[in-house]
Amino acid sequence: MCGIVGYTGAQQAAPILLEGLRRLEYRGYDSAGVAVHGGGGIEMVKASGTVERLAEKIDGGAAMHGVCGIAHTRWATHGAPTDTNAHPHLSEHGTFAVVHNGIIENYAALRAELTAAGCVFRSETDTEVVAHLLERSYDGDFLRTVMRTAARLEGSYVLGVLCADEPGRLVCVKEAGPLILGLGIGENYFASDVTALVGRTKNVIYLDDGEFASLTPESVTVYDRTGREVTKTVSRVVWDLEAAEKGGYEHFMLKEIMEQPRAVKSTIAPRLRSGRVELDIGWSAADMASFRRIVLTGCGSAYHAAVAGKYVIESLCRVPVETELASELRYRDPIIGPDTLLIAVSQSGETADTIAAMRECASRGAKVLAIVNVVGSTIARLADEVIYTHAGPEIAVATTKGYTTQLAALYLFAVWAAEGLGRIEKTRYNELVAALSALPARMQRAIDLNTHVRYLAGRWHGQGAMFFIGRGMDYAAAMEGSLKLKEISYIHSEAYAAGELKHGTIALIDEKRLVVALCCQTALFGKMMSNVEEVKARGARVLAVAPEGDRRIFADADDVLFAPKGEELFVAAPELVPLQLFAYYVALENGCDIDKPRNLAKSVTVE
Ligand code: F6R
């Protein structure tokens, strides 16, 4: 949510900052701005709308002169997405420019205090208080002034600051949001995400909460809250710039859908060794016996992965598993103790609610396992143990490979734990290991089978609303299929456990309605057919998702998408592929901005 980037070096900063913003635009895209330190002080340009609008305004950066600067792409929290509310924000006399990601929770009190002291505000943002506080407490020491100011702030704030008195120097601070330092030769950077940096350097430092950094072209120094210098490890980013580019596809989302076979393989292959699942985590699978129950948490699609994971883990491990939305879990008084294993699922590793739920459960003694894509992210670092999904950078706001690799990691965990707990026969274990190894090819088959999705999207894109129904793991996949459709096409859609529809919602079914029925589990096929009959009897049209080659489905469905057959416990991943494609092509038909749907941002770092 909001992307920030900073550069100090020998080159003109503005074009470099714009390039960084373009790569961070998935984090927020309602307005953008740049401030650079030219010879005569801080120069700033802002624009509502996309980074491209900003780029036009400053002639691709050529219109701004200075070798040190900060930039921001915004997802509005306080104040509408106008030029004035866009970041950076300047202090009254222009001594400081600030970019911010997060929410300053005590901003109203600080604003009242500053206003009473005669300060005139230009914007409606929470961020502007920071610029004024900096200037009013400035004593000539840039870093200490930022530290003093940060100590007055409550909430989440990742700040990048430029000071008119110190050309060539940047100060940044991280509190509850992502911030990465990039180390170059004669130039250094900060950014919300490595995607902004990887075209320029692969050597990065992941900052921890409460850390400050001072950057000049020649040096990067990190400090803790007390001002003590901290020695940080320099990490090397393993993927290349191409991974963060469209590679010939029209949209990142389509590219990422197509990448799923490879991404799922990256999750699974390194963990299958000599016919066994090996998870390099600090507990033995036998340690699992100390957990009397497992709680899975996450937000949005990650939560949907958790729901599918619950079915698989419970079925194989015979341990009670609950799922709970992180945004609910964090504010309950949950009954959680040392006998609970919390599994936190997150693509970005920065989702504020998931982080808070982890902290809440850990404070009650739970052990935390994180399933995360982004290496070095906050969730990965907070957890006791991590299974990285290794999906590669996911740029489209709507997750696809992020979600299916989370499923793959949950499947690995379930098989590993079931064996450690002694709850699985050797033959079944071997079958499941083979099914895991076959999953990437099954994902590819799911893509290959559904070449007609585009045609179907043409047929159904005009729907005012849709329902997705399924049972068990099909229900979990229905939740995700429905979310995909609504978030990128803006068509209202709801997912229902198929048996639940008749308890009220069936009142909405009529001859105008399309019902997407997921029927991929043999044991539940007959039950699903009864539910399909129920909606057809009320005039609905049915688009079914069924196992490849199952002719029975044609008796009832108007149209069919096929999911390749294979281990049914793992069906949620391949059956989601046609639904991702369906959502994508419906959105394309409807002329939507697929990679950047309205009102959304990729990484939800505020609650
Ligand atoms: C939907 C989507 C979101 C995320 C959710 C959690 O396509 O991407 O629902 O799944 O915001 O994000 P992470 O997984 O980064 O914690």
Side-chain angles (χ1 to χ4, degrees), residues 463 466-469 501 509 513-517 535 540-544:
Q463 289 281 307
M466 290 187 205
F467 290 96
F468 284 65
I469 58 171
L501 199 68
I509 301 292
R513 211 51 67 221
L514 179 70
V515 175
V516 182
V535 296
R541 315 296 295 276
V542 172
L543 169 61

Side-chain angles (χ1 to χ4, degrees), residues 242-259:
E242 301 89 75
E245 293 187 328
K246 283 190 199 152
Y249 287 95
E250 196 177 341
H251 294 99
F252 278 111
M253 184 177 177
L254 187 58
K255 175 187 175 236
E256 288 160 8
I257 290 172
M258 298 303 179
E259 275 175 355

Side-chain angles (χ1 to χ4, degrees), residues 169-366:
R169 187 174 181 202
L170 300 170
V171 172
C172 54
V173 51
K174 166 182 156 56
E175 188 67 61
L179 188 63
I180 291 121
L181 309 180
L183 312 181
I185 297 168
E187 53 188 17
N188 290 304
Y189 312 80
F190 64 71
S192 303
D193 189 341
V194 283
T195 47
L197 304 179
V198 83
R200 304 200 58 93
T201 177
K202 288 191 166 185
N203 296 327
V204 299
I205 291 174
Y206 296 101
L207 287 188
D208 286 304
D209 280 352
E211 288 182 340
F212 295 75
S214 166
L215 291 82
T216 67
E218 304 302 337
S219 69
V220 167
T221 319
V222 179
Y223 303 87
D224 68 12
R225 267 184 245 277
T226 66
R228 243 196 320 264
E229 226 176 288
V230 184
T231 309
K232 301 290 289 182
T233 314
V234 177
S235 307
R236 184 108 185 123
V237 180
V238 292
W239 44 269
D240 292 318
L241 187 57
E242 301 89 75
E245 293 187 328
K246 283 190 199 152
Y249 287 95
E250 196 177 341
H251 294 99
F252 278 111
M253 184 177 177
L254 187 58
K255 175 187 175 236
E256 288 160 8
I257 290 172
M258 298 303 179
E259 275 175 355
Q260 289 179 107
R262 205 176 64 207
V264 166
K265 189 170 182 181
S266 303
T267 313
I268 292 176
R271 282 140 182 159
L272 293 187
R273 294 177 216 144
S274 313
R276 297 177 49 76
V277 177
E278 303 279 357
L279 297 184
D280 297 322
I281 58 181
W283 313 311
S284 71
D287 290 340
M288 289 294 301
S290 64
F291 299 123
R292 303 228 354 237
R293 69 182 177 133
I294 297 174
V295 176
L296 287 162
T297 197
C299 300
S301 299
Y303 173 74
H304 299 158
V307 175
K310 169 188 158 80
Y311 288 105
V312 182
I313 297 169
E314 244 178 19
S315 152
L316 294 177
C317 303
R318 308 314 299 160
V319 177
V321 183
E322 291 157 40
T323 52
E324 182 142 4
L325 290 164
S327 53
E328 290 294 310
L329 182 56
R330 66 179 294 187
Y331 288 122
R332 276 203 304 117
D333 184 9
I335 305 170
I336 280 181
D339 61 352
T340 308
L341 171 64
L342 180 81
I343 304 184
V345 185
S346 175
Q347 189 283 129
S348 63
E350 299 296 345
T351 302
D353 284 325
T354 309
I355 293 170
M358 282 172 75
R359 287 198 163 120
E360 181 61 38
C361 295
S363 74
R364 289 163 192 255

Side-chain angles (χ1 to χ4, degrees), residues 4 57 69 244 270 330 472 511 531 535 578 581:
I4 71 173
K57 226 168 160 176
R330 66 179 294 187
E511 54 290 334
N531 300 130
V535 296
L581 288 168

